[in-house]
Amino acid sequence: MDYPSKVLAKAVEEISGLPGIGKKSALRLALHLLRQPQSQAIALGDSLKKLVTDIKYCRDCYNFSDTEICEICSDPKRSEDTLCVVEDVRDVLAIENTGKYRGKYLVLGGKISPMEGVGPNQLNISALGRKLESGSTKELIFALSATMEGDTTSYYIFRKFKNLNVKFSTIARGISVGDELEYADEISLGRSIQNRLPYEENA
Amino acid sequence: MDYPSKVLAKAVEEISGLPGIGKKSALRLALHLLRQPQSQAIALGDSLKKLVTDIKYCRDCYNFSDTEICEICSDPKRSEDTLCVVEDVRDVLAIENTGKYRGKYLVLGGKISPMEGVGPNQLNISALGRKLESGSTKELIFALSATMEGDTTSYYIFRKFKNLNVKFSTIARGISVGDELEYADEISLGRSIQNRLPYEENA
C-alpha cells in the first residue's frame, strides 16, 4: 500500500512489527492516535521507550522490579519454604492473582526448546541452583506450560537438582473449572482420573 | 492487576488506551517488546511521537501529506473534472488501491453525526465549497459510508451546493463480489435490483 505520508508509513511499519497486528490494524491505530490529542501518542511513545530502557529485574527471582530486590522477594510475610518455578513474568502475575500462593518465585525466562534454539544456558537455571543450594527452599513447585517444552524443562531441572534435599512437585493437571468432559482432550482427562482427589463438599 | 514494576504498569496502561487492545493484550505486547532488542521499542516510540508531531495535511484536499500539496493534488495527470468526497484518509487509500479512479479527492474528516456531536462545521465542507466554486469540478462523487450518517452528510452537501453547475453522483451500492444472495440484507439487495446494470460478458 502506498501511504500518502512518510511519517504515517513509518508509524504503520513500526506498529505492524508487533505480534498479532497487521498493516490494516496498524493503520487503524495510527489514524486513531491522530484523532486524539497529541499528548496521548507522545505519552505512549515515551512510556514504550522508558519501558525498555528503565525496566529492572529482581536480582533474586528475575521478576520485573523497580528496586534491586522485588516486592515479593523482600516481603517477610512470604514463606521461603516453597519456590515456584515459572517461565515468565506473566505467570507470576497470573498466580499472584489467584491469591492462593504465599511463597517465593523464580522466573526462568523461557523454557528449553531445541526447536527455537533455547538451551538450559539461556535460562536462569544457575540462579535457581544457587537459591536451592543456599538451603532455605524445602519444596520446589514446577508451574510450567503443559507442553513438551515445559515437561522437558522440569525434567532437566529435576535431574540436575534431585540430589539436593528438596521436595519436587508440579501444579495439578486436570479438567478446568467449567469444562465439559466431552470436549476435554484425552491426556488431560486421563491424568485427571489417575490423579483423582478425595471428594470434598466445599472443594 | 498489580504489576511488579511501575514502568511496566505505565506502559500497559498507555498501550491499553488504544482501541481494541485490552489489559491482557497490552501486557503481552509490552513483554514482547522487552524480549526484542531495545532498539525496536525505541524506534516504535519515536515513530509514534513523530507521527503526531510531524504529520501535515494537504492544503487542498486534507489528505495526509509530507508536503504542503499532496502527491495526488499536485499530479498533473489526474483529472480536475471529478472530485471524490470521502470521510477519511483510509478511504483515499482504499480507492487508490483499486486503481480505478484518476480524479481528485476531498477528505471531509468525518461525517455529520448528531449522536456523536459532529456537525457540518467540524467537517471540511467550506473547503469543499471553495473548491466547487472555483469551477474546475464537473462531477462530485460521494464515496461515503452506506449508513444514516453517510446519507445525511451527502444530502447536506447536495442541498448546499446543488445550485452550482456540478453533477452529483454516488458510488454504486449493491451485492459485493463473492457474496451469496441468501445472506445479503434486503436493502442492499433491493437497491441492487433497482439499479441493475446491462449484462456485460467481461464485467
Side-chain angles (χ1 to χ4, degrees):
Chain A
M1 203 182 270
D2 242 17
Y3 298 101
S5 142
K6 283 196 196 71
V7 280
L8 180 66
K10 176 84 179 139
V12 169
E13 191 198 311
E14 292 291 343
I15 300 171
S16 64
L18 294 171
I21 300 185
K23 293 263 175 196
K24 278 209 169 178
S25 310
L27 179 61
R28 198 170 51 84
L29 293 175
L31 295 176
H32 169 84
L33 286 174
L34 283 167
R35 278 193 299 269
Q36 306 306 114
Q38 273 199 6
S39 57
Q40 187 182 340
I42 292 173
L44 173 59
D46 279 334
S47 74
L48 292 180
K49 291 168 71 177
K50 252 178 109 76
L51 173 67
V52 294
T53 50
D54 291 9
I55 196 105
K56 288 198 210 69
Y57 295 87
C58 171
R59 208 185 52 189
D60 242 34
C61 73
Y62 295 91
N63 191 5
F64 293 132
S65 173
D66 290 325
T67 47
E68 207 173 338
I69 304 285
C70 76
E71 279 177 33
I72 296 174
C73 284
S74 56
D75 184 347
K77 277 183 280 174
R78 296 190 73 123
S79 162
E80 296 271 352
D81 294 355
T82 53
L83 183 69
C84 183
V85 174
V86 296
E87 281 164 40
D88 76 28
V89 180
R90 258 178 301 183
D91 305 324
V92 175
L93 288 171
I95 297 173
E96 283 299 289
N97 271 341
T98 68
K100 298 283 188 197
Y101 181 65
R102 301 296 300 161
K104 306 266 162 135
Y105 293 93
L106 191 118
V107 179
L108 287 179
K111 52 198 164 189
I112 296 173
S113 167
M115 292 283 285
E116 289 170 26
V118 181
N121 294 337
Q122 275 110 302
L123 306 180
N124 299 322
I125 290 178
S126 53
L128 171 63
R130 284 194 298 276
K131 232 175 150 81
L132 292 179
E133 278 153 15
S134 77
S136 54
T137 306
K138 297 206 173 67
E139 179 180 356
L140 182 155
I141 305 170
F142 290 115
L144 303 173
S145 308
T147 59
M148 208 169 67
E149 286 92 353
D151 290 346
T152 306
T153 310
S154 16
Y155 187 64
Y156 178 89
I157 293 173
F158 172 72
R159 285 283 301 260
K160 198 170 166 82
F161 302 117
K162 66 177 173 178
N163 295 327
L164 297 174
N165 186 21
V166 172
K167 187 181 142 197
F168 290 84
S169 63
T170 180
I171 52 169
R173 304 276 162 79
I175 302 300
S176 295
V177 176
D179 271 8
E180 307 227 25
L181 288 203
E182 200 182 340
Y183 303 117
D185 68 291
E186 57 252 57
I187 296 175
S188 301
L189 190 53
R191 284 191 182 180
S192 77
I193 291 177
Q194 271 181 339
N195 306 320
R196 61 195 177 277
L197 301 166
Y199 184 75
E200 283 173 48
E201 259 184 292
N202 304 311
Chain B
M1 205 183 274
D2 241 17
Y3 297 100
S5 143
K6 284 197 195 70
V7 280
L8 181 65
K10 176 83 180 140
V12 169
E13 191 199 311
E14 292 290 345
I15 300 172
S16 64
L18 294 171
I21 300 186
K23 293 262 176 197
K24 280 209 167 178
S25 310
L27 179 61
R28 197 170 51 83
L29 293 175
L31 294 176
H32 168 84
L33 286 174
L34 283 166
R35 277 194 300 270
Q36 306 305 117
Q38 273 199 8
S39 58
Q40 188 182 339
I42 292 174
L44 173 59
D46 278 334
S47 73
L48 293 179
K49 290 169 71 177
K50 253 179 107 77
L51 173 66
V52 293
T53 50
D54 291 9
I55 197 106
K56 288 200 211 68
Y57 295 87
C58 170
R59 207 185 54 190
D60 240 36
C61 72
Y62 295 91
N63 191 5
F64 293 133
S65 173
D66 289 325
T67 47
E68 206 173 337
I69 305 287
C70 76
E71 279 177 32
I72 296 175
C73 284
S74 56
D75 184 347
K77 277 184 280 175
R78 297 191 72 124
S79 162
E80 296 271 353
D81 294 355
T82 53
L83 183 69
C84 183
V85 174
V86 295
E87 280 164 41
D88 76 27
V89 180
R90 258 178 300 183
D91 306 323
V92 176
L93 287 172
I95 297 174
E96 284 298 290
N97 271 339
T98 68
K100 298 283 189 197
Y101 181 66
R102 299 297 299 160
K104 306 266 162 134
Y105 292 94
L106 191 117
V107 179
L108 286 178
K111 52 198 164 188
I112 297 172
S113 167
M115 292 283 284
E116 289 170 26
V118 181
N121 293 337
Q122 275 110 302
L123 307 180
N124 298 323
I125 290 179
S126 53
L128 171 62
R130 284 194 299 277
K131 233 176 149 76
L132 292 179
E133 277 153 14
S134 77
S136 55
T137 306
K138 297 205 171 70
E139 179 179 358
L140 182 155
I141 305 170
F142 290 116
L144 302 173
S145 307
T147 59
M148 208 169 65
E149 287 91 353
D151 289 346
T152 307
T153 310
S154 17
Y155 187 64
Y156 178 90
I157 294 174
F158 173 72
R159 284 285 299 262
K160 198 169 166 82
F161 301 118
K162 66 177 173 178
N163 294 329
L164 295 176
N165 186 22
V166 172
K167 188 179 142 197
F168 289 84
S169 63
T170 180
I171 52 168
R173 304 276 162 78
I175 302 301
S176 295
V177 176
D179 270 8
E180 306 226 25
L181 288 203
E182 201 182 339
Y183 303 117
D185 68 292
E186 56 252 55
I187 297 176
S188 300
L189 190 53
R191 284 191 183 181
S192 76
I193 292 178
Q194 272 182 339
N195 306 319
R196 62 195 176 278
L197 301 166
Y199 183 74
E200 283 172 50
E201 260 184 291
N202 304 313

